[in-house]
Amino acid sequence: MLDGRRIASLEDFWREVGEAVNGPEGYFGRNLDAFNDCLRGDYGTPDDRDFHFDWYDHELSRERLGHAETARQLELRLTRCHPTNRERVAEELAAARRGEGPTVFDWLTRIMEDRAPGALRLR
């Protein structure tokens, strides 16, 4: 279970999903690539892939993980991305600042649906 009331940032999501899957202080990714890998298997997911995430109060998370949080995350990404990616990240950042484009919430739910179709239940 993911408690949307406890998710106000991407870092909060990493904590919440880690604890949901692997208990207190559990790990289930700390960046989008690692999260993607975790959803592929191991790291606490059953071998038979029979699992789901109930994300309660997801609308609150959707709001909190909106364009403002997306811009914050893209600002961080811009400081550490490869020089060849800076232009693209800067464009995504400008869009997020305008309230356009996918949000952090969209990033997370897209990864979950792509890697574990049907496992995400928005409540």
Side-chain angles (χ1 to χ4, degrees), residues 73 76 80:
Q73 291 299 321
L76 293 170
R80 60 180 186 257

Side-chain angles (χ1 to χ4, degrees), residues 48-111:
D48 65 5
R49 311 269 306 142
D50 186 21
F51 65 91
H52 62 272
F53 292 95
D54 288 320
W55 192 335
Y56 289 91
D57 294 308
H58 76 279
E59 287 296 340
L60 180 58
S61 295
R62 183 188 307 271
E63 179 183 324
R64 291 175 171 174
L65 300 177
H67 288 106
E69 175 64 6
T70 304
R72 188 179 76 82
Q73 291 299 321
L74 290 169
E75 288 167 358
L76 293 170
R77 187 181 296 176
L78 192 57
T79 66
R80 60 180 186 257
C81 71
H82 192 274
T84 59
N85 291 330
R86 285 194 183 121
E87 184 177 340
R88 180 185 53 79
V89 174
E91 289 171 3
E92 291 174 4
L93 174 56
R97 287 178 174 157
R98 291 189 307 268
E100 300 171 357
T103 64
V104 170
F105 186 86
D106 297 329
W107 298 343
L108 296 170
T109 55
R110 186 173 301 129
I111 290 170

Side-chain angles (χ1 to χ4, degrees), residues 1 6 9-10 12 14-15 18 20 22 43 59 65 70 75 80 83 106 123:
M1 177 185 104
R6 294 179 42 150
S9 68
L10 184 56
D12 291 342
W14 301 138
R15 183 201 66 243
N22 291 309
Y43 300 101
E59 287 296 340
L65 300 177
T70 304
E75 288 167 358
R80 60 180 186 257
D106 297 329
R123 309 282 185 187

Side-chain angles (χ1 to χ4, degrees), residues 5-54:
R5 296 169 301 170
R6 294 179 42 150
I7 301 171
S9 68
L10 184 56
E11 293 81 7
D12 291 342
F13 176 82
W14 301 138
R15 183 201 66 243
E16 191 71 13
V17 74
E19 290 180 2
V21 174
N22 291 309
E25 299 185 34
Y27 174 84
F28 202 71
R30 295 273 190 277
N31 62 59
L32 297 172
D33 290 332
F35 182 54
N36 187 17
D37 289 345
C38 288
L39 284 168
R40 291 176 190 239
D42 298 324
Y43 300 101
T45 57
D47 291 337
D48 65 5
R49 311 269 306 142
D50 186 21
F51 65 91
H52 62 272
F53 292 95
D54 288 320

